[in-house]
Amino acid sequence: MMFEKTNNIYQEWINNKSLDLELKEILNNYNDEELSAAFGIKLEFGTAGIRGVLGAGPGRFNIYTIKLVTISYAKLLQSKYPNDLARGVVIGHDNRHNSKKFAQIAAEILTSFGIKAYLFKNNEMKPTPVVSFATKALNAIGGIVITASHNPAIYNGYKIYDEFGCQLIDDDTKIIANYMEEINDILDWTYKTDNDLLETVDEKIIIQYKDMIANLQFYKNQPRDDFSLIYSAVNGTGTEFTPPLLRDFGYKVIEVEEHSFEDETFKNVGNPNPEFDKAWEIPMQYGQKHKDASIMIIQDPDADRIGCAINHNGEWVRIDGNQTGPLLIEWKLSQLKLANKMPKNPAMYSSFVTSDLGDRIASETYGVKVIKTLTGFKWMGSEILKEPARNLNFVFAYEESYGYVIDSSTRDKDGIQAATMLVEAAWYYKKQGKTLIDVLNELFEKYGYYYTYTENLNFKPEEIKSKVEPIMKKLRKEGFDSLGGLELKFAEDYIDGLFNMPGQNLMKFYFSEGSWIAIRPSGTEPKVKIYFVVVATDEEEAKTKCESLKNSLKDFLEI
């Protein structure tokens, strides 16, 4: 299908004399399919801000995206904090294409609106959780991270925090989106930087963050020089923090050298998402070489997520978010109880698509109140904010997608916190002659075998309406009474809101024997995510049930 070059927006871009030269060249080299993608859609807010493929046009991520969002965010801040603009906005970025440049532009635009902007020293890259922490620690009115988190190298993104270091919830992003719609001259829009309003984040904030991480340890003064681990930053922001901290704590850290330097192309990584096999290829080679290492940690580029593999009986076994979370929950809560430091009315947060195993450990064994939320730490952060009124005290928050918060001084996923606590747990259990796989198996014996699997149905951004929406429509319109030989007990549709949460395009199906599946379009990528949580007596039975569910669902959806 030929792209119609009479498209008004395309004409505005191609004929604009002040268009960024790099984008002009990209635009001139686009084929019809790329032009349709670049001008057939507009980037919108998803689960964690705005993300998109880098390139020219309103459907791609570029300097005009940065300008459009930052202008609109500045207007929101002026309306919400007219007398507090001097408190400022903290701005950080990851290692991706143009991230440093985009962060600088965002800072300069904010100052043009009379809003103080904090950049880190030399505008160097910083992990997402450090930006969240700094926003709260500096009593700023907001924060920005230029990052596409775990997405492939062709992506970049824009994440926004409120004054508590929590991602903006939909009420605020809708206001920003409305402001964005009102701006018609973004290609020619100019600004004047107020350099007096540009500040550098004080080094003491970084020290405070590192102190918080150190204090997560339960056995910080015991020798650990006999414990080694393998670490990968996937060429992202984690290198500055995670390996030095773990070495300070006494561990021997073996860094994956090919992943230890800043690289916007991820050429040695492929896909920098720790959920996927590609990121593990070189680290696993290190695992074969360093057979005395006990655990392998992979963070994503902005260090808000971690993946983990355990050296168990001489083989490296990867564990997913639905296994890592329960291990961290069991570790933290058992140690709080042992030290008699469990807070009164403890509360834990997990998403609707996260396995029940962690919930059961927290509630049944440790008496922790479990609060379920929509996908995205913005929802957990907003619920944590209600704790004083509810007389609750935070102990843990997590999602199945490899994201954990252990100390709520950060209100977004923190892979540095998680790495610190997970490594200490592995060290502790090794002294008892066990690996984390042994501990996980003990949890399965107590609560039942939980097997989880996530299927990703990937599409192009321009296919969301033609391919993604029909899947959700079929589930709502037709439904099913059984699937894969399992009887449906009941279904939940979250589109209009459930359990005190706003509406989200999510369907969840519960089966009579305790298993369930959940289906939702991703809020950060053009894909449909299908979550399988299967309860059985052992791994073999669970995998068989899961495979049957998968095949039956594909037949039902005709995919």
Side-chain angles (χ1 to χ4, degrees), residues 149-219:
S149 192
H150 58 290
N151 287 44
I154 59 173
Y155 282 80
N156 213 328
Y158 194 119
K159 185 185 289 188
I160 307 176
Y161 291 131
D162 64 17
E163 61 183 316
F164 304 103
C166 175
Q167 294 176 38
L168 287 191
I169 59 173
D170 291 359
D171 289 348
D172 283 335
T173 58
K174 285 176 182 176
I175 294 172
I176 295 173
N178 289 336
Y179 282 134
M180 289 167 64
E181 287 293 324
E182 296 172 1
I183 300 171
N184 299 311
D185 58 346
I186 195 63
L187 298 180
D188 296 309
W189 191 85
T190 58
Y191 60 90
K192 184 177 180 181
T193 307
D194 186 341
N195 288 313
D196 291 337
L197 292 177
L198 282 174
E199 289 203 18
T200 300
V201 175
D202 196 303
E203 188 64 24
K204 70 180 182 182
I205 299 297
I206 303 298
I207 294 171
Q208 289 172 15
Y209 177 83
K210 291 179 178 179
D211 287 344
M212 176 272 292
I213 296 293
N215 288 330
L216 292 175
Q217 302 172 95
F218 290 102
Y219 302 95

Side-chain angles (χ1 to χ4, degrees), residues 262-279:
E262 185 175 349
D263 177 22
E264 60 190 15
T265 70
F266 302 113
K267 63 180 179 293
N268 292 328
V269 181
N271 191 323
N273 187 341
E275 294 184 60
F276 300 143
D277 295 343
K278 197 70 179 174

Side-chain angles (χ1 to χ4, degrees), residues 353-366:
V353 297
T354 300
S355 164
D356 311 301
L357 178 57
D359 300 348
R360 292 187 60 196
I361 295 168
S363 61
E364 294 177 20
T365 302
Y366 297 102

Side-chain angles (χ1 to χ4, degrees), residues 451 453 480 482-487 511 517 532 534 540-556:
Y451 178 79
Y453 175 80
F480 46 79
S482 64
L483 203 68
L486 300 183
E487 180 186 353
F511 300 100
I517 61 173
F532 297 85
V534 178
E540 184 178 355
E541 180 193 356
K543 286 184 175 180
T544 300
K545 288 171 70 172
C546 186
E547 195 65 26
S548 182
L549 282 171
K550 282 194 297 179
N551 292 334
S552 295
L553 183 62
K554 286 183 178 180
D555 288 343
F556 173 77

Side-chain angles (χ1 to χ4, degrees), residues 342-355:
M342 184 75 76
K344 292 182 179 179
N345 304 320
M348 187 193 86
Y349 305 81
S350 68
S351 71
F352 292 130
V353 297
T354 300
S355 164

